Amino acid sequence: MNAADVWMLFIGLSFAAYIVLDGYDLGIGVLTLLQRDDRRRREMYELVARAWDGSESWIVLLAVALWGGLPLAYGIALPSLYVPLILMLVSLIWRGFSIEIIAQYRGWQRRWGLAFGIGSLVAAFCQGAAFGGLIAGVTVHGSTFAGGPFSFLHHGYAVLTGLGAIVLYLFAASAWVYDRTEGELQRWAARGGRVLTLLLAAATVACWALLQPAGTTRLDPGSAARLAVWVPGAVVLAGGLAHAYRSFGRHPDAGPVRGALAVYAGGLILVLGLMYPSVVPPSITVHAAASPTGSLTFLLIGVGLSMPAILAYNAYAYWAFRGKLTTTDEEVAGTSVDPAGRRVAAR
Amino acid sequence: MSQQTLVDLSQWQWAITAGFHIVFPSLTVGTSIFLVVCYAAFMRTGTEVYLRLFRLWRRIFAIGFGLGVVSGIVLTFEFGLNWGGFAHDVGPILGVIIGMEVVTGFFLEAGFLGLLIYGDGRISQRVMLFSACMVSLGTVASVTWILAANSWMQTPAGYTLVHGQFLPRDWVQVILNPSFGWRVAHMLVGVLVSAAFFVSGISAWYLVKGRHLDVGRRGLSIGIGAAAILVPVQMYLGDTVAVDAIAPYQAPKLEATEGNWTSTNTGWNLLLWPDQSAARNDWTVTVPWLGSAIAKDWSGRTPTPGLLQTPAPLRPMILPTFYGFRLMFFAAMAMLATAMAGVILRLRRRLDVTRWFHRCVLVLTPAGPLAIIAGWVLAETGRQPWLVYGRLPTADAVSPLDTWQVLTSLALLILVYALLLGTYIWYVARVVRQGPEDRPVPEPVRAPVAPVPRALGAGRRI
Ligand code: HDD
Ligand code: HEM
Ligand code: HEM
């Protein structure tokens, strides 16, 4: 273990934090497309509005952690994923702006709500596609990317992982909505959640099984060490799915969220076990890509000092907004409640 | 299509996305400080108008901040997407600096933003004030780190070059590089000036329309007061940037800024049209004597150095550099004149009633962001053809993409950005026209309470 390995672990954790936190945001965006009822949609927008911006800080951290720590990987992987990443960025802008407009200005909820949903859907798909394009292997010549604009597709493998990401985020969103709401919306989330759990199980198996045939990455366990990582990863993942399936529709309401967290954890262990020591499969390893120790040490100190504070105030923000979200009928009819809880007639 | 087309398109994409991004920080950094001032004034004095100002400006702030965030994410990725060679070569230095920006700046802003915007009724007044302070602190930290990064590209220091990669040798020298101090000061005061005119301009609109006079007067008075102090400081800092941070390191940038080819002109060019390939100007409008005077020779005999001193391949383009500076300079003059007029009117107690003055201030609402974009165009195009000055040529740093890929993404980004900018302006106009909330000010709670259902209390029907 040297500084580069520690850094790879940190990148893995930033990745996890991002997909856990923004995953449910994006998933809720897609869910709003499936929900017909304006009031329930509004509840979902509210769940996203107060958190999305904090969640997206993690993708920035992920990007710069990769750039500052593994500059070679950043300079190769990003150009190779140009098409899905640019589309992802444009959709992230689009949905971030839409949700702010919905939150601050009620008049145009329908139109901007649709924009928000579609933006979330495209962003989720592109993230999955970019991820698939990366793990299936990138053509490298020397220290630059040498493939074409669409070589990330790998005979459609990236489309599969794109759809997989949508299913994953929808699953996580259902779990979160189930925890955070009550009444009809909560029951709706439970019904959908169970179906999505099964879909996710199928998608996971498909993505794993098709990786080797589609791409240039070898799924060769190679050593007992690799199997020793894969087996627990798979067990945690499967356990999470089973737990989530059982808990949708039952008490405690946090059950599906716990299941989802286990799914993420298991998935992450599998992926790290699959990729390590390469960061841009198949050829670029974390040690070849790493910045010199001077940079990594500076980064590790900076991150180490600020992380406790970051976690503390993010936790405080979540705590301040804890509890169930409820809406009153008047609001949907065009009344809003002012901050002190008094009702105010709409103009 | 050639490599040059790819470089050009990638440069345009960067310039447009960076120029779009900078508009929002240039407004939100200062506005967040204004929010702190208003809320603190409300807590101290209990005067209701401050809370109404706070609520009004918070709604304007929220969307601008959101746009700042998403457009900033695009920039972070573009370093790798379009400038893969650059990402590899400078990652050990710039990636680390921007990493520090993320952990110290972005997370601080994002962590407290939700509380600032949606926290009414959930958090106490103290926590609200604290959140506002933390958001401003985060934005100031962002500005500082990003300026450290960019200044390092302008005046690199503290590194060793190993196989074409810049490795840090001394972090103190990297961060406190020669141009950093003056440039970050000029940038920080610049964003404050921008916000001062943004707040003053919108407040002046209320006075022109004769609506919400209390809010308009208070906003105008705070904004113009701040501008009167900050604009002269900003001009002093700008001059120092040119003399101490640019002249010793980047002579060609200043040659291009003054718009001369030969080194014979003792005047100061007001307007011109350059012919870069023929290395001459088609026409110029020159104020005699002034060039020499700026070089502190009052006799009028000192000529300004011209671009012919620099070998042709190393010359920056005159057109953007020259006009970038002129726009910034004229904006500064207009702001100075307005702020000084404001001071005189204030001393004569006529600030609230002088119609023509309110109109002038209203016109200057977007002057700050325009000056800032212009200043950046000067700084960045004047740095060409280098990315890392004197070390890494821009053309070597571009990613091996297909030209049409960049063309498509550029077109897509322009389309989306134009739409967003339009909607943003429409939204601000809408919020301003609707005005501050006239309903009674609710009593803010003093301690965290059990969850109140509404998250989006701020959202009202317009
Ligand atoms: C409200 C904004 C504002 C105003 C009124 C001014 N500036 Fe400025 N200027 C900026 C905002 C700005 C900026 C956007 O903040 C820049 C761009 C890059 C930077 O570091 O600061 C800048 C850059 C910049 C540069 C180039 C720095 C470089 O190449 O790195 C010079 C030489 C000046 N300024 C000089 C001036 C002078 C002489 C001014 C007054 C007459 C002036 N600026 C007013
Ligand atoms: C937000 C304010 C900024 C604006 C408006 C801006 C504008 C520009 C412009 C106009 C160019 C193109 C120069 C040319 O083609 O002649 C450029 C280049 C560049 N700037 Fe900036 N810049 C900004 C801030 C930054 C910062 C803070 C950094 C780095 C940390 C940076 C990094 C670069 C890079 C890498 C290029 C090279 C790509 C190119 O030449 O287009 N810029 N910028
Ligand atoms: C002079 C140039 C720049 C200044 C002064 C600046 C300043 C800021 C500020 C104050 C914010 C906070 C959000 C807001 O207030 O709107 C912000 C956001 C952001 N900026 Fe910049 N920025 C500059 C250029 C850049 C560049 C070149 C990048 C690319 C690395 C960048 C990346 C970001 C990102 C990713 C965010 C979102 C932060 C978040 O998640 O909260 N900025 N910038």
Side-chain angles (χ1 to χ4, degrees), chain A:
Chain A
M1 244 351 216
N2 60 16
D5 295 316
V6 178
W7 199 248
M8 174 109 176
L9 197 64
F10 176 70
I11 291 175
L13 290 177
S14 310
F15 178 72
Y18 175 71
I19 57 173
V20 169
L21 291 174
D22 214 27
Y24 83 76
D25 277 8
L26 288 163
I28 291 179
V30 185
L31 274 183
T32 59
L33 292 175
L34 304 173
Q35 174 59 260
R36 303 268 87 188
D37 184 287
D38 267 346
R39 171 170 39 153
R40 287 178 217 140
R41 271 212 292 254
R42 181 91 204 156
E43 291 180 44
M44 293 196 273
Y45 295 141
E46 302 197 354
L47 280 177
V48 180
R50 56 198 188 189
W52 72 269
D53 156 279
S55 314
E56 291 196 353
S57 298
W58 291 95
I59 200 174
V60 183
L61 183 62
L62 175 63
V64 297
L66 199 59
W67 182 26
L70 313 172
L72 180 65
Y74 199 68
I76 293 174
L78 265 64
S80 80
L81 303 171
Y82 194 83
V83 174
L85 287 181
I86 284 280
L87 277 174
M88 173 196 86
L89 291 168
V90 171
S91 349
L92 284 182
I93 302 177
W94 190 250
R95 73 185 276 283
F97 185 71
S98 313
I99 191 74
E100 288 296 315
I101 287 277
I102 296 173
Q104 299 292 331
Y105 171 72
R106 295 200 157 197
W108 271 14
Q109 177 172 324
R110 284 263 169 88
R111 222 175 298 177
W112 285 99
L114 189 65
F116 172 68
I118 293 175
S120 306
L121 181 72
V122 178
F125 178 80
C126 290
Q127 286 180 359
F131 178 72
L134 180 71
I135 60 167
V138 172
T139 318
V140 177
H141 184 77
S143 64
T144 46
F145 163 61
F150 290 107
S151 46
F152 78 94
L153 277 175
H154 291 291
H155 314 292
Y157 182 71
V159 176
L160 178 68
T161 51
L163 295 174
I166 296 179
V167 174
L168 171 66
Y169 289 169
L170 276 173
F171 160 75
S174 314
W176 188 247
V177 171
Y178 184 75
D179 185 32
R180 280 313 172 98
T181 61
E182 42 194 23
E184 188 46 41
L185 183 58
Q186 191 189 28
R187 283 190 288 280
W188 181 72
R191 281 196 301 277
R194 258 183 250 118
V195 179
L196 285 163
T197 315
L198 297 178
L199 269 177
L200 181 61
T204 313
V205 172
C207 288
W208 187 267
L210 291 176
L211 176 60
Q212 179 157 332
T216 47
T217 308
R218 297 279 74 100
L219 263 186
D220 172 18
S223 63
R226 211 178 275 278
L227 267 185
V229 175
W230 280 352
V231 172
V235 170
V236 173
L237 197 155
L241 285 171
H243 184 71
Y245 188 83
R246 253 186 299 120
S247 337
F248 270 119
R250 298 195 193 170
H251 284 299
D253 291 356
V257 170
R258 286 199 208 109
L261 287 177
V263 170
Y264 278 119
L268 196 73
I269 295 173
L270 282 179
V271 169
L272 275 179
L274 173 73
M275 288 174 67
Y276 186 85
S278 65
V279 272
V280 183
S283 55
I284 307 288
T285 67
V286 55
H287 305 103
S291 276
T293 318
S295 297
L296 289 175
T297 316
F298 191 75
L299 269 173
L300 281 170
I301 294 173
V303 168
L305 289 180
S306 19
M307 221 15 101
I310 291 176
L311 294 178
Y313 53 70
N314 277 303
Y316 176 77
Y318 266 82
W319 177 79
F321 292 113
R322 70 199 175 280
K324 292 270 184 199
L325 187 83
T326 50
T327 13
T328 50
D329 288 1
E330 290 91 325
E331 268 171 289
V332 181
T335 358
S336 72
V337 176
D338 78 12
R342 229 170 291 153
R343 284 206 196 96
V344 187
R347 308 184 178 186

Side-chain angles (χ1 to χ4, degrees), chain B residues 15-259:
Chain B
I16 287 170
T17 47
F20 182 82
H21 174 66
I22 195 67
V23 171
F24 301 100
S26 67
L27 297 174
T28 49
V29 178
T31 319
S32 69
I33 295 175
F34 182 68
L35 288 178
V36 172
V37 171
C38 291
Y39 205 76
F42 166 68
M43 281 175 67
R44 269 188 76 91
T45 65
T47 316
E48 196 202 301
V49 63
Y50 288 116
L51 188 60
R52 292 180 41 217
L53 270 172
F54 174 77
R55 293 251 167 90
L56 171 70
W57 283 96
R58 186 174 59 179
R59 292 185 66 200
I60 297 175
F61 171 79
I63 296 242
F65 197 94
L67 274 173
V69 170
V70 285
S71 60
I73 299 178
V74 175
L75 293 182
T76 313
F77 277 87
E78 270 178 344
F79 283 131
L81 287 169
N82 296 97
W83 304 97
F86 169 78
H88 169 254
D89 293 352
V90 304
I93 290 185
L94 289 194
V96 173
I97 296 182
I98 294 176
M100 298 303 286
E101 175 180 11
V102 175
V103 290
T104 59
F106 296 169
F107 274 101
L108 197 61
E109 294 155 29
F112 286 97
L113 185 74
L115 294 171
L116 173 64
I117 310 275
Y118 303 117
D120 282 324
R122 287 168 194 270
I123 56 178
S124 68
Q125 287 190 6
R126 286 233 185 120
V127 177
M128 180 59 94
L129 182 66
F130 183 72
S131 305
C133 288
M134 289 303 111
V135 171
S136 335
L137 191 68
T139 60
V140 171
S142 303
V143 174
T144 310
W145 285 112
I146 200 77
L147 259 285
N150 186 271
S151 299
W152 183 83
M153 291 164 58
Q154 306 277 356
T155 51
Y159 63 90
T160 40
L161 255 178
V162 179
H163 305 304
Q165 199 174 35
F166 296 82
L167 305 184
R169 187 167 41 74
D170 179 348
W171 278 110
V172 176
Q173 282 185 33
V174 167
I175 293 169
L176 302 181
N177 60 70
S179 65
F180 169 66
W182 289 113
R183 291 185 79 231
V184 72
H186 188 57
M187 181 76 210
L188 276 173
V189 178
V191 293
L192 297 183
V193 168
S194 304
F197 275 91
F198 189 54
V199 171
S200 309
I202 289 178
S203 306
W205 187 81
Y206 288 129
L207 298 180
V208 170
K209 291 283 165 190
R211 292 170 47 193
H212 307 295
L213 292 179
D214 55 340
V215 164
R217 285 187 189 134
R218 201 66 59 125
L220 184 69
S221 152
I222 298 176
I224 289 292
I229 300 168
L230 293 172
V231 175
V233 173
Q234 177 69 346
M235 297 180 67
Y236 167 74
L237 289 171
D239 186 54
T240 316
V241 166
V243 174
D244 288 354
I246 306 300
Y249 307 98
Q250 301 188 353
K253 184 188 274 180
L254 286 190
E255 291 159 8
T257 303
E258 293 308 343

